[in-house]
Amino acid sequence: MGHRIAAWAAFAVGVLYFLVPLVGTVEFSLRIRRGGYSLGAYSNVLSDPAFWSTFGFSAAAAVATILVGTLLVVPTAYWIRLKLPRLRPVVEFITLMPLVVPAIVLVFGYLRLYNSSSWLPLTGQTWSTDVLLVFGYVVLALPYLYRAVDTGLRSIDLRSLTEAAESLGARRATILFRVILPNVRAAVLSGAFLTFAIVIGEFTLASLLDRPAFGPYLQNVGANKAYEPSALAFIAFAVTWACMGLIQLFARDPAARSVRV
């Protein structure tokens, strides 16, 4: 009985720790009108063209990041598990590097290597800077995307699926994209939604590469207005939790967990 009360008390403290700042943020965002509550801050944010343009830019960058990251991570994790299991610790260490190397180090390295006077001036054009930004996001999302895919591969009999497909005459690309990928769809989607949440709120890379992303827009609004930053914070929170909800939805899909041959 005592343990149950302690568990519920710890749960209540955790809920309060999470909800009190959120409720305070929402309550403050509604006080733009003196003497009453109003959705004026949300209206101001949603009617700002810069909000939609920056959010659209970050959403497009997130989709590109997910595509590039998936094409990079799924074949790599598949090959490591199937043919090179001894390299798993090395690959896992490499994928963890973005967690210990700050994003500002990464972007200064990019500026040093790819500035307009270098041998590969990727920062000299808008499109090439966007490409550089997407690859930077892929690096930042690598720890989460690789682990999600690796966990999905661990849950299926990779060798039996591969040998069965090979016995039917399937080529390696067919095995990878028509046999393996459908069986780890939930894991890939989990990594994709985490990647989306990371890219939407990222500030350092977009700001120092001077790209019109949502993160620098959040910082700019926060530095110049009072109530709108709270509204933006709640909107960003809602987008992030919508991604988490989608992860749970797809993770519970029985069809996604069944092995397909």
PDB file of all heavy atoms in Angstrom, residues 144-179:
ATOM      1  N   TYR A 144      18.787   9.297 -33.447  1.00  0.00           N
ATOM      2  CA  TYR A 144      17.407   8.853 -33.237  1.00  0.00           C
ATOM      3  C   TYR A 144      16.940   7.968 -34.391  1.00  0.00           C
ATOM      4  O   TYR A 144      16.279   6.941 -34.176  1.00  0.00           O
ATOM      5  CB  TYR A 144      16.496  10.078 -33.102  1.00  0.00           C
ATOM      6  CG  TYR A 144      17.054  11.102 -32.151  1.00  0.00           C
ATOM      7  CD1 TYR A 144      17.742  12.223 -32.614  1.00  0.00           C
ATOM      8  CD2 TYR A 144      16.925  10.924 -30.773  1.00  0.00           C
ATOM      9  CE1 TYR A 144      18.281  13.145 -31.735  1.00  0.00           C
ATOM     10  CE2 TYR A 144      17.463  11.842 -29.879  1.00  0.00           C
ATOM     11  CZ  TYR A 144      18.145  12.951 -30.376  1.00  0.00           C
ATOM     12  OH  TYR A 144      18.677  13.858 -29.505  1.00  0.00           O
ATOM     13  N   LEU A 145      17.258   8.360 -35.607  1.00  0.00           N
ATOM     14  CA  LEU A 145      16.806   7.594 -36.769  1.00  0.00           C
ATOM     15  C   LEU A 145      17.483   6.234 -36.827  1.00  0.00           C
ATOM     16  O   LEU A 145      16.831   5.210 -37.082  1.00  0.00           O
ATOM     17  CB  LEU A 145      17.088   8.396 -38.044  1.00  0.00           C
ATOM     18  CG  LEU A 145      16.463   7.874 -39.340  1.00  0.00           C
ATOM     19  CD1 LEU A 145      14.963   7.729 -39.200  1.00  0.00           C
ATOM     20  CD2 LEU A 145      16.790   8.799 -40.509  1.00  0.00           C
ATOM     21  N   TYR A 146      18.799   6.193 -36.569  1.00  0.00           N
ATOM     22  CA  TYR A 146      19.510   4.917 -36.652  1.00  0.00           C
ATOM     23  C   TYR A 146      19.016   3.944 -35.585  1.00  0.00           C
ATOM     24  O   TYR A 146      18.812   2.764 -35.851  1.00  0.00           O
ATOM     25  CB  TYR A 146      21.018   5.138 -36.498  1.00  0.00           C
ATOM     26  CG  TYR A 146      21.812   3.865 -36.641  1.00  0.00           C
ATOM     27  CD1 TYR A 146      22.162   3.386 -37.899  1.00  0.00           C
ATOM     28  CD2 TYR A 146      22.172   3.113 -35.527  1.00  0.00           C
ATOM     29  CE1 TYR A 146      22.864   2.205 -38.042  1.00  0.00           C
ATOM     30  CE2 TYR A 146      22.869   1.924 -35.657  1.00  0.00           C
ATOM     31  CZ  TYR A 146      23.226   1.480 -36.908  1.00  0.00           C
ATOM     32  OH  TYR A 146      23.908   0.296 -37.056  1.00  0.00           O
ATOM     33  N   ARG A 147      18.813   4.455 -34.369  1.00  0.00           N
ATOM     34  CA  ARG A 147      18.366   3.568 -33.301  1.00  0.00           C
ATOM     35  C   ARG A 147      16.955   3.048 -33.532  1.00  0.00           C
ATOM     36  O   ARG A 147      16.641   1.902 -33.216  1.00  0.00           O
ATOM     37  CB  ARG A 147      18.453   4.279 -31.964  1.00  0.00           C
ATOM     38  CG  ARG A 147      19.638   3.831 -31.197  1.00  0.00           C
ATOM     39  CD  ARG A 147      20.258   4.845 -30.315  1.00  0.00           C
ATOM     40  NE  ARG A 147      21.553   4.325 -29.880  1.00  0.00           N
ATOM     41  CZ  ARG A 147      22.632   4.311 -30.662  1.00  0.00           C
ATOM     42  NH1 ARG A 147      22.576   4.802 -31.880  1.00  0.00           N
ATOM     43  NH2 ARG A 147      23.774   3.810 -30.239  1.00  0.00           N
ATOM     44  N   ALA A 148      16.103   3.903 -34.067  1.00  0.00           N
ATOM     45  CA  ALA A 148      14.744   3.451 -34.368  1.00  0.00           C
ATOM     46  C   ALA A 148      14.768   2.338 -35.412  1.00  0.00           C
ATOM     47  O   ALA A 148      14.113   1.299 -35.254  1.00  0.00           O
ATOM     48  CB  ALA A 148      13.909   4.628 -34.860  1.00  0.00           C
ATOM     49  N   VAL A 149      15.540   2.524 -36.481  1.00  0.00           N
ATOM     50  CA  VAL A 149      15.616   1.513 -37.542  1.00  0.00           C
ATOM     51  C   VAL A 149      16.298   0.251 -37.025  1.00  0.00           C
ATOM     52  O   VAL A 149      15.855  -0.876 -37.312  1.00  0.00           O
ATOM     53  CB  VAL A 149      16.367   2.083 -38.762  1.00  0.00           C
ATOM     54  CG1 VAL A 149      16.616   0.988 -39.799  1.00  0.00           C
ATOM     55  CG2 VAL A 149      15.576   3.220 -39.386  1.00  0.00           C
ATOM     56  N   ASP A 150      17.377   0.410 -36.262  1.00  0.00           N
ATOM     57  CA  ASP A 150      18.097  -0.753 -35.737  1.00  0.00           C
ATOM     58  C   ASP A 150      17.198  -1.576 -34.820  1.00  0.00           C
ATOM     59  O   ASP A 150      17.233  -2.802 -34.853  1.00  0.00           O
ATOM     60  CB  ASP A 150      19.345  -0.272 -34.983  1.00  0.00           C
ATOM     61  CG  ASP A 150      20.265  -1.430 -34.620  1.00  0.00           C
ATOM     62  OD1 ASP A 150      20.686  -2.157 -35.531  1.00  0.00           O
ATOM     63  OD2 ASP A 150      20.537  -1.606 -33.414  1.00  0.00           O
ATOM     64  N   THR A 151      16.391  -0.906 -34.008  1.00  0.00           N
ATOM     65  CA  THR A 151      15.455  -1.626 -33.138  1.00  0.00           C
ATOM     66  C   THR A 151      14.421  -2.379 -33.967  1.00  0.00           C
ATOM     67  O   THR A 151      14.056  -3.519 -33.649  1.00  0.00           O
ATOM     68  CB  THR A 151      14.754  -0.636 -32.200  1.00  0.00           C
ATOM     69  OG1 THR A 151      15.743   0.046 -31.415  1.00  0.00           O
ATOM     70  CG2 THR A 151      13.796  -1.354 -31.265  1.00  0.00           C
ATOM     71  N   GLY A 152      13.940  -1.759 -35.037  1.00  0.00           N
ATOM     72  CA  GLY A 152      12.990  -2.444 -35.910  1.00  0.00           C
ATOM     73  C   GLY A 152      13.601  -3.662 -36.576  1.00  0.00           C
ATOM     74  O   GLY A 152      12.954  -4.715 -36.694  1.00  0.00           O
ATOM     75  N   LEU A 153      14.847  -3.553 -37.023  1.00  0.00           N
ATOM     76  CA  LEU A 153      15.521  -4.699 -37.655  1.00  0.00           C
ATOM     77  C   LEU A 153      15.751  -5.824 -36.657  1.00  0.00           C
ATOM     78  O   LEU A 153      15.724  -6.999 -37.021  1.00  0.00           O
ATOM     79  CB  LEU A 153      16.855  -4.241 -38.253  1.00  0.00           C
ATOM     80  CG  LEU A 153      16.772  -3.320 -39.467  1.00  0.00           C
ATOM     81  CD1 LEU A 153      18.159  -2.848 -39.880  1.00  0.00           C
ATOM     82  CD2 LEU A 153      16.092  -4.019 -40.643  1.00  0.00           C
ATOM     83  N   ARG A 154      15.980  -5.450 -35.395  1.00  0.00           N
ATOM     84  CA  ARG A 154      16.216  -6.467 -34.369  1.00  0.00           C
ATOM     85  C   ARG A 154      14.962  -7.310 -34.119  1.00  0.00           C
ATOM     86  O   ARG A 154      15.048  -8.455 -33.673  1.00  0.00           O
ATOM     87  CB  ARG A 154      16.646  -5.784 -33.068  1.00  0.00           C
ATOM     88  CG  ARG A 154      17.147  -6.750 -31.989  1.00  0.00           C
ATOM     89  CD  ARG A 154      17.408  -6.008 -30.692  1.00  0.00           C
ATOM     90  NE  ARG A 154      18.282  -4.862 -30.918  1.00  0.00           N
ATOM     91  CZ  ARG A 154      18.447  -3.888 -30.048  1.00  0.00           C
ATOM     92  NH1 ARG A 154      17.810  -3.916 -28.897  1.00  0.00           N
ATOM     93  NH2 ARG A 154      19.265  -2.874 -30.313  1.00  0.00           N
ATOM     94  N   SER A 155      13.783  -6.733 -34.383  1.00  0.00           N
ATOM     95  CA  SER A 155      12.525  -7.425 -34.066  1.00  0.00           C
ATOM     96  C   SER A 155      12.109  -8.422 -35.153  1.00  0.00           C
ATOM     97  O   SER A 155      11.117  -9.115 -34.974  1.00  0.00           O
ATOM     98  CB  SER A 155      11.411  -6.391 -33.868  1.00  0.00           C
ATOM     99  OG  SER A 155      11.147  -5.709 -35.088  1.00  0.00           O
ATOM    100  N   ILE A 156      12.826  -8.477 -36.271  1.00  0.00           N
ATOM    101  CA  ILE A 156      12.454  -9.418 -37.337  1.00  0.00           C
ATOM    102  C   ILE A 156      13.612 -10.372 -37.600  1.00  0.00           C
ATOM    103  O   ILE A 156      14.763 -10.092 -37.229  1.00  0.00           O
ATOM    104  CB  ILE A 156      12.082  -8.673 -38.646  1.00  0.00           C
ATOM    105  CG1 ILE A 156      13.281  -7.880 -39.178  1.00  0.00           C
ATOM    106  CG2 ILE A 156      10.877  -7.763 -38.421  1.00  0.00           C
ATOM    107  CD1 ILE A 156      13.021  -7.186 -40.499  1.00  0.00           C
ATOM    108  N   ASP A 157      13.298 -11.506 -38.238  1.00  0.00           N
ATOM    109  CA  ASP A 157      14.331 -12.492 -38.594  1.00  0.00           C
ATOM    110  C   ASP A 157      14.943 -12.062 -39.923  1.00  0.00           C
ATOM    111  O   ASP A 157      14.515 -12.498 -41.002  1.00  0.00           O
ATOM    112  CB  ASP A 157      13.718 -13.888 -38.696  1.00  0.00           C
ATOM    113  CG  ASP A 157      14.791 -14.970 -38.794  1.00  0.00           C
ATOM    114  OD1 ASP A 157      15.956 -14.625 -39.068  1.00  0.00           O
ATOM    115  OD2 ASP A 157      14.451 -16.142 -38.602  1.00  0.00           O
ATOM    116  N   LEU A 158      15.943 -11.205 -39.826  1.00  0.00           N
ATOM    117  CA  LEU A 158      16.515 -10.568 -41.009  1.00  0.00           C
ATOM    118  C   LEU A 158      17.134 -11.592 -41.967  1.00  0.00           C
ATOM    119  O   LEU A 158      16.918 -11.540 -43.180  1.00  0.00           O
ATOM    120  CB  LEU A 158      17.567  -9.555 -40.558  1.00  0.00           C
ATOM    121  CG  LEU A 158      17.986  -8.481 -41.541  1.00  0.00           C
ATOM    122  CD1 LEU A 158      16.813  -7.610 -41.892  1.00  0.00           C
ATOM    123  CD2 LEU A 158      19.104  -7.644 -40.937  1.00  0.00           C
ATOM    124  N   ARG A 159      17.874 -12.540 -41.404  1.00  0.00           N
ATOM    125  CA  ARG A 159      18.584 -13.506 -42.256  1.00  0.00           C
ATOM    126  C   ARG A 159      17.607 -14.425 -42.987  1.00  0.00           C
ATOM    127  O   ARG A 159      17.764 -14.690 -44.181  1.00  0.00           O
ATOM    128  CB  ARG A 159      19.554 -14.326 -41.392  1.00  0.00           C
ATOM    129  CG  ARG A 159      20.498 -15.208 -42.186  1.00  0.00           C
ATOM    130  CD  ARG A 159      21.584 -15.771 -41.291  1.00  0.00           C
ATOM    131  NE  ARG A 159      22.391 -14.707 -40.711  1.00  0.00           N
ATOM    132  CZ  ARG A 159      23.377 -14.082 -41.341  1.00  0.00           C
ATOM    133  NH1 ARG A 159      23.674 -14.439 -42.585  1.00  0.00           N
ATOM    134  NH2 ARG A 159      24.062 -13.131 -40.739  1.00  0.00           N
ATOM    135  N   SER A 160      16.578 -14.890 -42.285  1.00  0.00           N
ATOM    136  CA  SER A 160      15.606 -15.798 -42.933  1.00  0.00           C
ATOM    137  C   SER A 160      14.848 -15.067 -44.030  1.00  0.00           C
ATOM    138  O   SER A 160      14.605 -15.630 -45.108  1.00  0.00           O
ATOM    139  CB  SER A 160      14.625 -16.338 -41.881  1.00  0.00           C
ATOM    140  OG  SER A 160      15.301 -17.137 -40.945  1.00  0.00           O
ATOM    141  N   LEU A 161      14.449 -13.817 -43.777  1.00  0.00           N
ATOM    142  CA  LEU A 161      13.743 -13.047 -44.801  1.00  0.00           C
ATOM    143  C   LEU A 161      14.624 -12.843 -46.030  1.00  0.00           C
ATOM    144  O   LEU A 161      14.167 -12.972 -47.173  1.00  0.00           O
ATOM    145  CB  LEU A 161      13.317 -11.692 -44.232  1.00  0.00           C
ATOM    146  CG  LEU A 161      12.122 -11.699 -43.283  1.00  0.00           C
ATOM    147  CD1 LEU A 161      11.936 -10.320 -42.668  1.00  0.00           C
ATOM    148  CD2 LEU A 161      10.864 -12.126 -44.015  1.00  0.00           C
ATOM    149  N   THR A 162      15.891 -12.535 -45.794  1.00  0.00           N
ATOM    150  CA  THR A 162      16.811 -12.298 -46.908  1.00  0.00           C
ATOM    151  C   THR A 162      17.028 -13.577 -47.715  1.00  0.00           C
ATOM    152  O   THR A 162      16.985 -13.569 -48.957  1.00  0.00           O
ATOM    153  CB  THR A 162      18.150 -11.776 -46.373  1.00  0.00           C
ATOM    154  OG1 THR A 162      17.919 -10.571 -45.645  1.00  0.00           O
ATOM    155  CG2 THR A 162      19.123 -11.504 -47.508  1.00  0.00           C
ATOM    156  N   GLU A 163      17.258 -14.691 -47.016  1.00  0.00           N
ATOM    157  CA  GLU A 163      17.503 -15.955 -47.711  1.00  0.00           C
ATOM    158  C   GLU A 163      16.258 -16.421 -48.475  1.00  0.00           C
ATOM    159  O   GLU A 163      16.368 -16.964 -49.579  1.00  0.00           O
ATOM    160  CB  GLU A 163      17.949 -17.009 -46.700  1.00  0.00           C
ATOM    161  CG  GLU A 163      19.342 -16.749 -46.132  1.00  0.00           C
ATOM    162  CD  GLU A 163      19.716 -17.732 -45.039  1.00  0.00           C
ATOM    163  OE1 GLU A 163      18.848 -18.531 -44.630  1.00  0.00           O
ATOM    164  OE2 GLU A 163      20.870 -17.702 -44.587  1.00  0.00           O
ATOM    165  N   ALA A 164      15.078 -16.196 -47.878  1.00  0.00           N
ATOM    166  CA  ALA A 164      13.841 -16.576 -48.578  1.00  0.00           C
ATOM    167  C   ALA A 164      13.663 -15.754 -49.854  1.00  0.00           C
ATOM    168  O   ALA A 164      13.283 -16.294 -50.903  1.00  0.00           O
ATOM    169  CB  ALA A 164      12.654 -16.384 -47.643  1.00  0.00           C
ATOM    170  N   ALA A 165      13.922 -14.450 -49.756  1.00  0.00           N
ATOM    171  CA  ALA A 165      13.786 -13.588 -50.935  1.00  0.00           C
ATOM    172  C   ALA A 165      14.823 -13.941 -51.990  1.00  0.00           C
ATOM    173  O   ALA A 165      14.524 -13.957 -53.192  1.00  0.00           O
ATOM    174  CB  ALA A 165      13.921 -12.129 -50.516  1.00  0.00           C
ATOM    175  N   GLU A 166      16.065 -14.244 -51.548  1.00  0.00           N
ATOM    176  CA  GLU A 166      17.116 -14.623 -52.506  1.00  0.00           C
ATOM    177  C   GLU A 166      16.778 -15.938 -53.203  1.00  0.00           C
ATOM    178  O   GLU A 166      17.058 -16.110 -54.396  1.00  0.00           O
ATOM    179  CB  GLU A 166      18.452 -14.745 -51.776  1.00  0.00           C
ATOM    180  CG  GLU A 166      19.064 -13.391 -51.399  1.00  0.00           C
ATOM    181  CD  GLU A 166      20.354 -13.563 -50.604  1.00  0.00           C
ATOM    182  OE1 GLU A 166      20.561 -14.669 -50.038  1.00  0.00           O
ATOM    183  OE2 GLU A 166      21.130 -12.603 -50.537  1.00  0.00           O
ATOM    184  N   SER A 167      16.164 -16.870 -52.469  1.00  0.00           N
ATOM    185  CA  SER A 167      15.800 -18.150 -53.092  1.00  0.00           C
ATOM    186  C   SER A 167      14.729 -17.984 -54.158  1.00  0.00           C
ATOM    187  O   SER A 167      14.585 -18.837 -55.038  1.00  0.00           O
ATOM    188  CB  SER A 167      15.305 -19.121 -52.011  1.00  0.00           C
ATOM    189  OG  SER A 167      14.074 -18.678 -51.481  1.00  0.00           O
ATOM    190  N   LEU A 168      13.972 -16.876 -54.062  1.00  0.00           N
ATOM    191  CA  LEU A 168      12.948 -16.587 -55.084  1.00  0.00           C
ATOM    192  C   LEU A 168      13.491 -15.721 -56.202  1.00  0.00           C
ATOM    193  O   LEU A 168      12.740 -15.292 -57.081  1.00  0.00           O
ATOM    194  CB  LEU A 168      11.753 -15.892 -54.414  1.00  0.00           C
ATOM    195  CG  LEU A 168      10.987 -16.748 -53.399  1.00  0.00           C
ATOM    196  CD1 LEU A 168       9.924 -15.910 -52.689  1.00  0.00           C
ATOM    197  CD2 LEU A 168      10.340 -17.954 -54.090  1.00  0.00           C
ATOM    198  N   GLY A 169      14.785 -15.421 -56.157  1.00  0.00           N
ATOM    199  CA  GLY A 169      15.418 -14.685 -57.243  1.00  0.00           C
ATOM    200  C   GLY A 169      15.427 -13.178 -57.079  1.00  0.00           C
ATOM    201  O   GLY A 169      15.724 -12.451 -58.046  1.00  0.00           O
ATOM    202  N   ALA A 170      15.107 -12.680 -55.901  1.00  0.00           N
ATOM    203  CA  ALA A 170      15.075 -11.227 -55.704  1.00  0.00           C
ATOM    204  C   ALA A 170      16.485 -10.669 -55.611  1.00  0.00           C
ATOM    205  O   ALA A 170      17.380 -11.297 -55.040  1.00  0.00           O
ATOM    206  CB  ALA A 170      14.297 -10.894 -54.426  1.00  0.00           C
ATOM    207  N   ARG A 171      16.660  -9.464 -56.173  1.00  0.00           N
ATOM    208  CA  ARG A 171      17.946  -8.792 -56.068  1.00  0.00           C
ATOM    209  C   ARG A 171      18.026  -8.044 -54.734  1.00  0.00           C
ATOM    210  O   ARG A 171      17.044  -7.902 -54.031  1.00  0.00           O
ATOM    211  CB  ARG A 171      18.137  -7.835 -57.241  1.00  0.00           C
ATOM    212  CG  ARG A 171      18.209  -8.561 -58.593  1.00  0.00           C
ATOM    213  CD  ARG A 171      18.479  -7.583 -59.715  1.00  0.00           C
ATOM    214  NE  ARG A 171      18.616  -8.277 -61.000  1.00  0.00           N
ATOM    215  CZ  ARG A 171      18.865  -7.667 -62.139  1.00  0.00           C
ATOM    216  NH1 ARG A 171      19.001  -6.344 -62.164  1.00  0.00           N
ATOM    217  NH2 ARG A 171      18.987  -8.365 -63.261  1.00  0.00           N
ATOM    218  N   ARG A 172      19.250  -7.536 -54.467  1.00  0.00           N
ATOM    219  CA  ARG A 172      19.467  -6.898 -53.167  1.00  0.00           C
ATOM    220  C   ARG A 172      18.563  -5.678 -52.962  1.00  0.00           C
ATOM    221  O   ARG A 172      17.987  -5.495 -51.889  1.00  0.00           O
ATOM    222  CB  ARG A 172      20.942  -6.490 -53.045  1.00  0.00           C
ATOM    223  CG  ARG A 172      21.339  -6.016 -51.670  1.00  0.00           C
ATOM    224  CD  ARG A 172      21.271  -7.121 -50.648  1.00  0.00           C
ATOM    225  NE  ARG A 172      22.267  -8.170 -50.918  1.00  0.00           N
ATOM    226  CZ  ARG A 172      22.371  -9.283 -50.216  1.00  0.00           C
ATOM    227  NH1 ARG A 172      21.530  -9.520 -49.230  1.00  0.00           N
ATOM    228  NH2 ARG A 172      23.296 -10.187 -50.522  1.00  0.00           N
ATOM    229  N   ALA A 173      18.422  -4.850 -54.002  1.00  0.00           N
ATOM    230  CA  ALA A 173      17.570  -3.657 -53.864  1.00  0.00           C
ATOM    231  C   ALA A 173      16.117  -4.048 -53.646  1.00  0.00           C
ATOM    232  O   ALA A 173      15.399  -3.426 -52.851  1.00  0.00           O
ATOM    233  CB  ALA A 173      17.712  -2.773 -55.100  1.00  0.00           C
ATOM    234  N   THR A 174      15.668  -5.095 -54.341  1.00  0.00           N
ATOM    235  CA  THR A 174      14.291  -5.579 -54.154  1.00  0.00           C
ATOM    236  C   THR A 174      14.078  -6.091 -52.739  1.00  0.00           C
ATOM    237  O   THR A 174      13.049  -5.822 -52.104  1.00  0.00           O
ATOM    238  CB  THR A 174      13.995  -6.693 -55.172  1.00  0.00           C
ATOM    239  OG1 THR A 174      14.229  -6.197 -56.493  1.00  0.00           O
ATOM    240  CG2 THR A 174      12.557  -7.163 -55.047  1.00  0.00           C
ATOM    241  N   ILE A 175      15.069  -6.837 -52.247  1.00  0.00           N
ATOM    242  CA  ILE A 175      14.967  -7.349 -50.867  1.00  0.00           C
ATOM    243  C   ILE A 175      14.867  -6.195 -49.876  1.00  0.00           C
ATOM    244  O   ILE A 175      14.036  -6.202 -48.958  1.00  0.00           O
ATOM    245  CB  ILE A 175      16.192  -8.227 -50.545  1.00  0.00           C
ATOM    246  CG1 ILE A 175      16.210  -9.466 -51.443  1.00  0.00           C
ATOM    247  CG2 ILE A 175      16.198  -8.628 -49.082  1.00  0.00           C
ATOM    248  CD1 ILE A 175      17.487 -10.276 -51.326  1.00  0.00           C
ATOM    249  N   LEU A 176      15.695  -5.195 -50.104  1.00  0.00           N
ATOM    250  CA  LEU A 176      15.759  -4.101 -49.148  1.00  0.00           C
ATOM    251  C   LEU A 176      14.466  -3.282 -49.126  1.00  0.00           C
ATOM    252  O   LEU A 176      13.922  -2.985 -48.052  1.00  0.00           O
ATOM    253  CB  LEU A 176      16.956  -3.206 -49.490  1.00  0.00           C
ATOM    254  CG  LEU A 176      17.278  -2.095 -48.508  1.00  0.00           C
ATOM    255  CD1 LEU A 176      17.562  -2.666 -47.121  1.00  0.00           C
ATOM    256  CD2 LEU A 176      18.471  -1.293 -49.007  1.00  0.00           C
ATOM    257  N   PHE A 177      13.986  -2.907 -50.319  1.00  0.00           N
ATOM    258  CA  PHE A 177      12.864  -1.969 -50.379  1.00  0.00           C
ATOM    259  C   PHE A 177      11.490  -2.644 -50.443  1.00  0.00           C
ATOM    260  O   PHE A 177      10.485  -1.999 -50.157  1.00  0.00           O
ATOM    261  CB  PHE A 177      13.034  -1.042 -51.589  1.00  0.00           C
ATOM    262  CG  PHE A 177      14.181  -0.087 -51.423  1.00  0.00           C
ATOM    263  CD1 PHE A 177      15.378  -0.307 -52.094  1.00  0.00           C
ATOM    264  CD2 PHE A 177      14.083   1.010 -50.575  1.00  0.00           C
ATOM    265  CE1 PHE A 177      16.445   0.561 -51.929  1.00  0.00           C
ATOM    266  CE2 PHE A 177      15.145   1.869 -50.411  1.00  0.00           C
ATOM    267  CZ  PHE A 177      16.341   1.656 -51.079  1.00  0.00           C
ATOM    268  N   ARG A 178      11.415  -3.927 -50.818  1.00  0.00           N
ATOM    269  CA  ARG A 178      10.113  -4.590 -50.917  1.00  0.00           C
ATOM    270  C   ARG A 178       9.903  -5.674 -49.865  1.00  0.00           C
ATOM    271  O   ARG A 178       8.792  -6.182 -49.729  1.00  0.00           O
ATOM    272  CB  ARG A 178       9.938  -5.185 -52.318  1.00  0.00           C
ATOM    273  CG  ARG A 178      10.004  -4.137 -53.415  1.00  0.00           C
ATOM    274  CD  ARG A 178       9.576  -4.681 -54.742  1.00  0.00           C
ATOM    275  NE  ARG A 178       8.172  -5.113 -54.733  1.00  0.00           N
ATOM    276  CZ  ARG A 178       7.557  -5.640 -55.780  1.00  0.00           C
ATOM    277  NH1 ARG A 178       8.220  -5.814 -56.909  1.00  0.00           N
ATOM    278  NH2 ARG A 178       6.292  -6.014 -55.702  1.00  0.00           N
ATOM    279  N   VAL A 179      10.975  -6.033 -49.153  1.00  0.00           N
ATOM    280  CA  VAL A 179      10.834  -7.050 -48.108  1.00  0.00           C
ATOM    281  C   VAL A 179      11.186  -6.465 -46.736  1.00  0.00           C
ATOM    282  O   VAL A 179      10.391  -6.537 -45.789  1.00  0.00           O
ATOM    283  CB  VAL A 179      11.733  -8.278 -48.408  1.00  0.00           C
ATOM    284  CG1 VAL A 179      11.644  -9.294 -47.275  1.00  0.00           C
ATOM    285  CG2 VAL A 179      11.339  -8.907 -49.730  1.00  0.00           C
TER     286      VAL A 179
END
